[in-house]
Amino acid sequence: MNINIQAWLYAYASGKKRWDVPTSQAEQHSTGKLQWEPQCQYHLRHLQDSTRISALLPPRLEGHWISTGCEVRPGPEFLTRSYLFYSNRLFKAYQFYYRDPSCGDPAYSLVIKGKLRLRQASWITRGATEADYHLHKVGIVFHSQRAMQEIAAQVNQTSGGGCKGFLPPGRSWVPGALYELLSAKTERDCTAALGFAMHELSLVRVEKHYQPLLQPQQAGSRVVEELYLGDIHTEWSERLHYRPTGYQRPMQSAMHHVHPCPACGIIYRADEHRPPVLPARAELPVQLSGRWVSTQCEVRPAVLFLTRYFIFHGSNRSWEGYYYHYSDPLCRLPTFTIYASGHYTKGVPSAKVRGGTDLAFKVTHARVTPMDQVTVTMLNSSASGSCGEAGSWSAGLEQDITPTNGCLALGIKLPHMEYELFKTEQDAKDRSLLFIGERPTDGSSPDRPDKRPTSYQAPLIQCAGASGTFARYISPNYVGKEETNQSKVLKPLPAALVLFIALQFVTWD
């Protein structure tokens, strides 16, 4: 995103307006007014309910936090995490790495011990707390001869003199043997070869929300606590130096997590000698047709708060996207919205990321609606011909920026091509999820094939099918009721899986 907008975000102070969810621009123009898909509208409005989510400041970290499934980091790296924080500020963290995208074939495990000290509220990322950490020890346990040989070769070739001979060539694999990678006491650090850093601990946020009980006859709700740690840089070379301004996929409290969660118990009981082996997941074909929506306010690196709503038309491979930007981490204070549209190519299996699908997306049209006076002033200050009609921006009024080939002030360039990575899954409630390739941390665009993502952001959830009706494989998990107009309205699932979404077809640079 353009640096000018990042600075302006701190000054936003608009009223608490809610965003309605249109079906598509074509439907808007055909009727002369906005229309909505009920369940898509529900998802976006529900996440703006401040009674559902509260942030704990300062965050309370004491306890056991776990991944809720297989995670993907740039590379790609497939892993699960299990972190324990103690009341004396010490921590013990497990990171389990795998060869497969289902996290069923363990390669090696890291055992990380150290100390964490919370500092002050972040002045960069609103709602987050900055922290300092110090590593005492990092150990590694290999789960196969192959893994030991590969890691030993990496360490011996790329690490400093103190790490030469980390493992002598030809050393036989010993199940359960723990090898020291880092020791503060001996000042030895052989972790760089693995691209290892714990900078994620330097940015912390804890959220609490309430999940309705699963059974219809049960009243009340269940507490769910989530731990957001700093994001991992998408460039391997920057990983060791990067200080986070966004978040990874959240971990959840082992005592207070969503239900059902098939992976939670497996990861909770694991250690370096018994790594979690998650059930294999079917690789589903990517079927984009339909409507996909955010289920929680998203925080991106460079201080972006937003939610998104997408419509994919499979018949002609066209897409529409609504990007709702806010000035606060609960997405209640709107600043501007962007509507973008274009076409996408037929997907092909990814050669780099197992289970992924490569596509290319072209952005050809875009419109911008400023929602507060700060944004209006900024857009009206743009050079003539660089962002819509100069000097004519007004709050709440949309302008087409296609004739000016985008909007320089917002970093939007038209037309524009991006090379993407997609995959689809079904969650524990059989709801369809769409995973989109992770955006480059530096704010650039994947505008070349060699910049295509190798990891995913948190998913979108399908809120309606291709024809505007709800997908059949979602319906069994809802209790429908007939309205007076005889149209079926679906009540939401008794629990909402907290998901971050991230998809940005427009260039943010």
Side-chain angles (χ1 to χ4, degrees):
M1 185 178 183
N2 191 285
I3 187 67
N4 295 330
I5 291 295
Q6 295 176 28
W8 281 108
L9 282 173
Y10 289 106
Y12 289 144
S14 60
K16 295 182 179 179
K17 300 178 181 179
R18 299 242 176 165
W19 299 81
D20 290 326
V21 183
T23 52
S24 71
Q25 287 289 79
E27 290 165 348
Q28 290 181 51
H29 291 300
S30 67
T31 61
K33 62 180 180 179
L34 296 180
Q35 297 183 7
W36 308 278
E37 287 300 331
Q39 193 67 6
C40 300
Q41 182 184 22
Y42 165 80
H43 275 293
L44 281 182
R45 289 200 172 194
H46 191 51
L47 68 87
Q48 291 176 323
D49 182 0
S50 61
T51 63
R52 292 181 57 248
I53 300 175
S54 60
L56 305 180
L57 294 173
R60 289 194 58 190
L61 298 183
E62 290 85 357
H64 194 169
W65 303 86
I66 52 175
S67 301
T68 56
C70 192
E71 301 176 0
V72 186
R73 287 183 174 178
E77 291 179 330
F78 309 109
L79 77 157
T80 58
R81 296 177 291 162
S82 178
Y83 292 3
L84 296 95
F85 295 93
Y86 303 102
S87 58
N88 59 0
R89 299 192 295 186
L90 296 177
F91 69 86
K92 181 179 183 180
Y94 295 106
Q95 293 182 354
F96 308 101
Y97 290 83
Y98 303 81
R99 296 191 176 278
D100 67 303
S102 294
C103 290
D105 183 11
Y108 63 91
S109 299
L110 297 181
V111 187
I112 307 134
K113 296 181 180 181
K115 194 166 189 176
L116 181 73
R117 181 177 69 89
L118 297 178
R119 296 172 57 202
Q120 71 278 350
S122 173
W123 62 274
I124 296 178
T125 306
R126 289 185 58 185
T129 298
E130 295 179 352
D132 290 327
Y133 73 92
H134 179 68
L135 296 182
H136 297 160
K137 289 184 178 182
V138 178
I140 186 169
V141 175
F142 301 105
H143 303 303
S144 70
Q145 179 74 32
R146 176 184 173 186
M148 186 178 76
Q149 291 174 341
E150 291 175 349
I151 299 301
Q154 288 178 250
V155 174
N156 290 337
Q157 291 175 8
T158 62
S159 298
C163 299
K164 296 295 184 181
F166 165 69
L167 282 177
R171 171 75 65 88
S172 297
W173 171 52
V174 179
L178 178 68
Y179 301 93
E180 189 176 82
L181 283 171
L182 179 149
S183 171
K185 191 172 183 179
T186 62
E187 299 184 348
R188 184 192 196 197
D189 185 355
C190 303
T191 61
L194 302 180
F196 171 82
M198 287 297 287
H199 299 328
E200 61 189 278
L201 295 178
S202 62
L203 195 70
V204 178
R205 178 178 171 89
V206 174
E207 287 187 357
K208 178 188 294 185
H209 66 91
Y210 296 89
Q211 177 191 29
L213 298 178
L214 294 176
Q215 301 302 320
Q217 67 272 18
Q218 292 179 308
S221 58
R222 176 185 290 108
V223 174
V224 175
E225 294 182 348
E226 294 188 309
L227 171 62
Y228 292 87
L229 297 176
D231 60 307
I232 307 299
H233 203 287
T234 52
E235 286 293 328
W236 184 277
S237 60
E238 299 294 329
R239 185 182 288 191
L240 300 182
H241 313 289
Y242 173 66
R243 288 299 184 268
T245 57
Y247 301 120
Q248 297 178 69
R249 179 175 173 176
M251 305 173 76
Q252 294 191 0
S253 166
M255 300 300 294
H256 303 290
H257 59 78
V258 296
H259 291 266
C261 179
C264 289
I266 299 173
I267 298 172
Y268 171 76
R269 291 187 292 270
D271 58 27
E272 68 270 32
H273 304 297
R274 296 177 297 276
V277 177
L278 303 189
R281 303 185 68 95
E283 294 184 3
L284 303 178
V286 173
Q287 297 178 346
L288 294 182
S289 295
R291 300 148 198 272
W292 307 80
V293 69
S294 165
T295 57
Q296 187 168 344
C297 184
E298 177 192 356
V299 183
R300 282 245 187 110
V303 202
L304 294 177
F305 304 103
L306 69 161
T307 60
R308 301 179 179 191
Y309 173 58
F310 291 95
I311 306 167
F312 295 97
H313 307 282
S315 58
N316 60 0
R317 294 200 193 108
S318 64
W319 67 274
E320 301 172 77
Y322 295 82
Y323 307 78
Y324 303 102
H325 292 76
Y326 303 83
S327 64
D328 67 300
L330 292 180
C331 288
R332 294 183 57 83
L333 304 177
T335 55
F336 63 95
T337 184
I338 296 171
Y339 164 81
S341 63
H343 289 81
Y344 58 93
T345 63
K346 182 179 180 180
V348 297
S350 172
K352 285 188 175 181
V353 184
R354 278 180 55 188
T357 298
D358 291 343
L359 302 97
F361 279 77
K362 188 171 186 178
V363 188
T364 54
H365 297 85
R367 300 183 180 95
V368 174
T369 306
M371 297 300 293
D372 70 349
Q373 193 57 44
V374 174
T375 308
V376 169
T377 300
M378 182 193 66
L379 295 177
N380 279 330
S381 301
S382 300
S384 178
S386 68
C387 186
E389 186 176 345
S392 65
W393 292 95
S394 297
L397 297 181
E398 180 184 75
Q399 270 206 50
D400 190 350
I401 59 172
T402 307
T404 54
N405 296 320
C407 179
L408 183 61
L410 297 178
I412 303 172
K413 300 175 184 178
L414 296 174
H416 180 69
M417 181 73 78
E418 292 195 349
Y419 296 87
E420 271 293 357
L421 176 72
F422 278 43
K423 76 169 178 177
T424 54
E425 287 184 0
Q426 286 184 295
D427 67 8
K429 301 186 183 76
D430 293 328
R431 297 175 296 183
S432 290
L433 305 178
L434 176 62
F435 289 80
I436 312 297
E438 188 170 4
R439 303 298 302 182
T441 305
D442 64 6
S444 65
S445 167
D447 53 6
R448 303 192 311 266
D450 63 320
K451 295 181 67 176
R452 193 186 302 272
T454 57
S455 59
Y456 302 99
Q457 298 184 9
L460 297 156
I461 189 169
Q462 188 171 39
C463 57
S467 65
T469 57
F470 301 102
R472 292 180 181 177
Y473 39 81
I474 299 179
S475 300
N477 293 294
Y478 288 81
V479 179
K481 65 176 182 181
E482 298 291 332
E483 295 290 353
T484 55
N485 63 2
Q486 300 302 308
S487 64
K488 175 141 304 194
V489 177
L490 299 179
K491 292 182 178 179
L493 286 162
L497 176 63
V498 178
L499 306 171
F500 281 116
I501 61 144
L503 175 63
Q504 183 175 352
F505 295 132
V506 184
T507 305
W508 302 105
D509 50 29

